[in-house]
Amino acid sequence: DIKRYIQQNGIRMVNFMYPAGDGRLKTLNFVINNQAYLDAILTCGERVDGSSLFPFIEAGSSDLYVIPRFRTAFLDPFAEIPTLSMLCSFFNKDGEPLESSPEHTLHKACKAFNEVTGMEFQAMGELEYYVIAPDTNMFEATDQKGYHESAPYAKFNDFRTQCMAYIAQAGGQIKYGHSEVGNFTLNGMIYEQNEIEFLPVNAEDAADQLMIAKWIIRNLAYKHGYNITFAPKITTGKAGSGLHIHMRIMKDGQNQMLKEGVLSETARKAIAGM
């Protein structure tokens, strides 16, 4: 399916993307020379220097391999050359999953949860961030009163909706987006808080959504000349940004967290465990 899509849509490059120890997505670019080469990289992945990606990997044993997860493939919204990007998993030189990679840790946890309980662990993130840009001194917003504000008092609604469109194009399951409480000016700059909230999906997919969404928001901000911060607190007396992760437990398509309108025994056990 991947190879057919590439052929039918004139895709000329493939990007492998993967989060390193600093939490940021890294990128490896491939120009598509021929179908045999494309088949090789999709099947076998590529070697990378693990010691440059993770602080706990020594240079003497640094060979890692990045193998694409096809379900994450998306058309890069920023590339001038038609490019298909996909997230990767890390493997060691023996072809085994890298036990210490965050992605594999989450995979093992979700698998263990399903094997023990017969249920699926789902999650969704509320991604809050500040947009920072020069103050226009027009239609000034009320300090700390930016919740669900509309333009022109909210300056970056169009930026947020464009981010949402790109995130959805990349496979993100979005619930909604809106401006948030935080809204102030400081030293000639506007600081406007926004939020993009997702729908609950398998916990592994929820983590992928957040990684790609942050990458998209930063890239689009760079193109607009804005600065972006996901920092939990940027100054005293102003609203901080949370990264709230909501969770639910599903079985046969049914939410197991409630029974007859109150918390179920399953939910209470999960809360106690946490």
Side-chain angles (χ1 to χ4, degrees):
D1 290 344
I2 294 284
K3 290 191 291 185
R4 183 166 57 248
Y5 179 86
I6 287 172
Q7 289 175 333
Q8 292 177 351
N9 292 275
I11 303 299
R12 293 161 53 195
M13 297 198 74
V14 169
N15 285 347
F16 286 0
M17 306 183 76
Y18 32 89
D22 60 6
R24 299 207 296 259
L25 280 177
K26 310 303 179 184
T27 302
L28 185 61
N29 312 113
F30 299 89
V31 62
I32 301 170
N33 299 313
N34 54 60
Q35 289 302 303
Y37 178 67
L38 175 62
D39 186 77
I41 62 170
L42 292 178
T43 303
C44 304
E46 185 54 83
R47 190 193 68 83
V48 296
D49 177 13
S51 64
S52 295
L53 296 171
F54 296 102
F56 52 80
I57 294 180
E58 296 181 358
S61 56
S62 64
D63 279 1
L64 293 181
Y65 289 83
V66 286
I67 310 294
R69 304 201 301 275
F70 300 145
R71 72 177 187 273
T72 66
F74 64 94
L75 192 64
D76 189 321
F78 304 106
E80 292 184 14
I81 299 170
T83 301
L84 193 70
S85 297
M86 55 194 83
L87 299 181
C88 296
S89 297
F90 289 101
F91 287 77
N92 63 24
K93 61 182 177 60
D94 299 316
E96 302 164 337
L98 180 66
E99 291 288 339
S100 53
S101 71
E103 172 262 338
H104 189 59
T105 300
L106 179 59
H107 172 74
K108 289 187 293 184
C110 290
K111 182 179 179 182
F113 182 85
N114 178 257
E115 290 175 349
V116 171
T117 67
M119 295 181 281
E120 179 188 23
F121 189 76
Q122 293 191 345
M124 52 164 278
E126 291 185 31
L127 196 57
E128 294 184 356
Y129 59 92
Y130 271 92
V131 184
I132 307 169
D135 187 3
T136 61
N137 295 309
M138 297 175 64
F139 294 99
E140 294 185 3
T142 305
D143 184 74
Q144 300 304 284
K145 298 290 184 181
Y147 187 67
H148 290 198
E149 187 63 272
S150 300
Y153 299 100
K155 307 298 187 293
F156 304 110
N157 283 351
D158 288 344
F159 170 75
R160 184 185 63 252
T161 55
Q162 191 174 4
C163 288
M164 292 169 67
Y166 282 173
I167 293 167
Q169 175 185 315
Q173 301 295 305
I174 295 175
K175 182 180 180 182
Y176 54 56
H178 58 82
S179 62
E180 256 294 351
V181 170
N183 199 319
F184 62 95
T185 59
L186 182 66
N187 299 326
M189 304 295 286
I190 297 174
Y191 291 75
E192 182 182 292
Q193 191 181 35
N194 284 256
E195 176 183 311
I196 297 174
E197 186 167 322
F198 294 86
L199 292 168
V201 294
N202 176 277
E204 293 179 77
D205 295 332
D208 288 345
Q209 285 186 154
L210 289 172
M211 286 298 307
I212 293 173
K214 292 176 77 172
W215 173 79
I216 286 174
I217 293 168
R218 287 177 174 135
N219 267 280
L220 194 58
Y222 178 71
K223 287 186 174 293
H224 282 277
Y226 304 151
N227 200 356
I228 294 289
T229 178
F230 298 95
K233 193 72 172 176
I234 55 177
T235 189
T236 58
K238 308 299 181 183
S241 293
L243 177 56
H244 309 117
I245 305 296
H246 300 264
M247 296 161 282
R248 72 178 183 184
I249 298 169
M250 302 291 289
K251 185 174 184 178
D252 299 326
Q254 297 295 316
N255 189 348
Q256 302 299 301
M257 302 299 285
L258 291 175
K259 185 175 182 180
E260 298 177 355
V262 298
L263 281 178
S264 66
E265 182 181 356
T266 296
R268 292 175 182 273
K269 287 180 178 179
I271 293 168
M274 291 173 192

